[in-house]
Amino acid sequence: MTDQLKTEGKFTYAEAGEGPAIIVLHGLMGALSNFGATFNHFSNNGYHVLIPELPLYSLPLLKTNVKSMASFLKDFMEFKKLDKAILLGNSLGGHIGLYFTKHYPEKVSALVLTGSSGLYEKAMGDSFPKRGNYEYIEKKTKAVFYDPTIATKELVDDVFKIVNNRSAVIRTLSIAKSAIRHNMANDLPDMKQPTCLIWGKQDTVTPPEVATDFDNLLPDSDLFWIDKCGHAAMMERPEEFNKILMDWFTARKI
């Protein structure tokens, strides 16, 4: 997807399609390309899909937090002249979407969460990968998926590069601590937006009980399971993920 990226002002993003806007929010170490199949499917089937690069490693350290990412999203929507959007987030991206929804509910028409943080923060580094040990990084990266072959050498190399960059490590830990501070449990009952929860049954990062808690706390949610699938359903089982979400949009007239 890198060939589809464009940079305008402070924003670098991919964009395609026409129709209701879907803004995709990637995770802490999740490249935009993780959403390639979803980006292509929905932009070719009646939706205007945008994936901004979140400034996880470029903001000043004191601003590297969930709140600043939500402000960035607000700025991006204003830049693109979008009054409302569907927010689709994986892992940290889901958490940013939830925090944004808490503060700007009028700008969110629906939420799609997959392996989202916000309730359970083991996701964020109770054991941050050891710098310099490639085999360890490879093992931790593969553990995110049910099928370890999804963790290609290119993906492992990307994670390895992040954890061996001191500035990136400090910012990763900063946003991880911020995520723990901004637990959303008390806020979810006030979020009236229709919400689609798509979860891998074998997600070890945000385990199935997290999805059940989200479903119980959100007033208007539907929970769908994908079997033989880990933390990044849109990447590991893209066809199944896209079908579930498209059927949900149709049923909900979104």
Side-chain angles (χ1 to χ4, degrees), residues 89-110:
N90 171 241
S91 202
L92 174 71
H95 199 159
I96 292 164
L98 288 165
Y99 188 86
F100 182 88
T101 303
K102 174 186 173 179
H103 292 279
Y104 311 104
E106 73 286 352
K107 295 182 179 296
V108 182
S109 51

Side-chain angles (χ1 to χ4, degrees), residues 22-252:
I22 301 174
I23 299 178
V24 176
L25 301 166
H26 62 82
L28 194 55
M29 297 199 189
L32 274 59
S33 58
N34 295 4
F35 288 92
T38 297
F39 178 84
N40 292 333
H41 180 83
F42 287 94
S43 62
N44 286 319
N45 285 281
Y47 291 87
H48 175 200
V49 188
L50 307 101
I51 312 186
E53 271 189 358
L54 298 172
L56 298 173
Y57 305 115
S58 56
L59 287 177
L61 185 59
L62 287 174
K63 292 198 169 177
T64 305
N65 53 45
V66 171
K67 182 180 177 182
S68 291
M69 297 303 145
S71 296
F72 174 87
L73 174 56
K74 181 172 177 280
D75 292 347
F76 180 68
M77 287 183 70
E78 287 171 0
F79 172 73
K80 294 304 296 180
K81 298 182 169 57
L82 296 171
D83 294 326
K84 264 197 163 185
I86 301 156
L87 301 183
L88 190 171
N90 171 241
S91 202
L92 174 71
H95 199 159
I96 292 164
L98 288 165
Y99 188 86
F100 182 88
T101 303
K102 174 186 173 179
H103 292 279
Y104 311 104
E106 73 286 352
K107 295 182 179 296
V108 182
S109 51
L111 280 164
V112 183
L113 304 175
T114 179
S116 178
S117 66
L119 287 180
Y120 177 79
E121 304 318 336
K122 178 170 181 277
M124 290 296 174
D126 52 353
S127 61
F128 192 76
K130 300 178 182 72
R131 290 170 68 190
N133 185 333
Y134 189 88
E135 291 73 25
Y136 180 80
I137 304 300
E138 185 176 32
K139 182 181 161 201
K140 292 291 275 187
T141 306
K142 286 180 186 256
V144 169
F145 304 99
Y146 175 80
D147 174 4
T149 64
I150 301 288
T152 60
K153 184 175 186 306
E154 183 185 13
L155 183 65
V156 176
D157 287 350
D158 285 347
V159 175
F160 185 71
K161 194 157 77 176
I162 290 169
V163 301
N164 279 284
N165 177 317
R166 186 169 179 276
S167 168
V169 168
I170 291 168
R171 280 163 174 75
T172 299
L173 293 172
S174 174
I175 203 156
K177 287 174 184 168
S178 151
I180 292 165
R181 283 197 307 273
H182 292 296
N183 186 286
M184 306 301 297
N186 294 331
D187 304 303
L188 296 180
D190 297 324
M191 295 186 190
K192 306 292 196 288
Q193 289 82 356
T195 303
C196 183
L197 302 163
I198 306 177
W199 232 263
K201 275 190 179 175
Q202 288 76 27
D203 186 342
T204 58
V205 181
T206 45
E209 59 267 26
V210 179
T212 305
D213 286 347
F214 270 118
D215 194 33
N216 290 335
L217 288 166
L218 286 159
D220 188 15
S221 58
D222 297 296
L223 173 56
F224 303 92
W225 299 103
I226 298 182
D227 197 13
K228 297 181 179 172
C229 180
H231 184 55
M234 71 292 159
M235 189 178 174
E236 190 162 8
R237 301 292 291 271
E239 289 178 10
E240 205 169 334
F241 180 91
N242 292 342
K243 183 179 187 315
I244 288 169
L245 184 52
M246 186 60 92
D247 288 349
W248 186 79
F249 281 157
T250 303
R252 291 297 199 115

